[in-house]
Amino acid sequence: MKKQRLLLRTVILILLSGAVGYTIYANFFTEKTRVTVGSEAPDFVLTDLNGNKHRLSDYRGKGVFLNFWGTWCKPCEKEMPYINRQYEVYKNQGVEVIAVNVGEPELSVKKFAERFDLKFPIVIDQQDQVMNAYDIDPLPTTFLINKDGKIVKIITGTMTESMVQQYMESIKP
């Protein structure tokens, strides 16, 4: 009986040591690709509130206004009507908006979208994979992506309506 417990403890200790070793290796010795101005925007596929899938690479040839936000974020709430109004102006000029909610319940996101009558696609990043790929901190953060899929500007913090208009104009193909 004692030999079985010793064997079991040894196996558990080896597994834990391996997990700790891998974690240290992954965090300190693997090269992370940093999303910066001039780099290609990491591709992703997320589902919007209507059940439609959105793949970033499908928007090649258009400018993409990629906005990360949360319903609890007061600066996000302030800029959403600006983004919505400018989207109405620029959507027929080759500029798309994709609003990535950072993992909130669908019901909360739908209520927020209805309250502001948002017309652009809203997707939810349930697993935080896209948020982590883009290294998002703080909210709101917006990436301006040109027609070739390259990031041309990264904006953190609240935007005014004139800023949103200028940014959409700058990524118009």
Side-chain angles (χ1 to χ4, degrees):
M1 193 69 164
K2 282 188 175 188
K3 285 185 179 185
Q4 285 179 332
R5 272 192 276 168
L6 179 62
L7 180 63
L8 184 60
R9 287 179 182 165
T10 304
V11 168
I12 291 172
L13 184 60
I14 290 170
L15 289 174
L16 285 174
S17 298
V20 168
Y22 175 77
T23 302
I24 291 170
Y25 171 77
N27 284 321
F28 294 107
F29 298 108
T30 58
E31 191 175 319
K32 291 184 181 177
T33 313
R34 185 121 172 100
V35 177
T36 59
V37 170
S39 66
E40 188 157 330
D43 200 12
F44 61 84
V45 178
L46 290 174
T47 305
D48 69 18
L49 298 176
N50 298 320
N52 302 313
K53 294 210 179 289
H54 294 267
R55 178 183 302 273
L56 182 63
S57 58
D58 290 345
Y59 290 91
R60 285 281 165 95
K62 295 182 176 192
V64 178
F65 191 92
L66 182 63
N67 179 262
F68 290 84
W69 66 284
T71 60
W72 47 266
C73 166
K74 290 299 178 191
C76 303
E77 185 176 323
K78 183 177 180 181
E79 72 184 12
M80 278 298 174
Y82 307 151
I83 296 169
N84 199 46
R85 279 194 292 273
Q86 293 306 314
Y87 173 69
E88 291 294 325
V89 172
Y90 284 93
K91 69 180 178 184
N92 294 325
Q93 298 179 43
V95 176
E96 293 291 335
V97 171
I98 302 175
V100 180
N101 177 273
V102 291
E104 294 183 84
E106 189 173 326
L107 182 61
S108 301
V109 177
K110 277 185 177 180
K111 284 185 177 191
F112 184 94
E114 288 168 3
R115 188 170 92 203
F116 291 100
D117 194 27
L118 301 177
K119 304 294 184 194
F120 46 80
I122 298 172
V123 296
I124 301 175
D125 185 15
Q126 293 291 358
Q127 310 299 312
D128 294 339
Q129 291 172 326
V130 179
M131 189 174 111
N132 291 333
Y134 280 83
D135 198 23
I136 300 303
D137 184 43
L139 290 180
T141 296
T142 301
F143 290 80
L144 303 180
I145 303 168
N146 69 15
K147 64 182 176 64
D148 301 317
K150 302 280 187 206
I151 297 170
V152 295
K153 189 160 183 70
I154 302 169
I155 304 109
T156 56
T158 312
M159 295 177 280
T160 63
E161 187 156 5
S162 65
M163 290 168 73
V164 172
Q165 187 269 328
Q166 287 174 342
Y167 292 145
M168 287 192 184
E169 184 69 32
S170 75
I171 57 173
K172 189 169 70 170

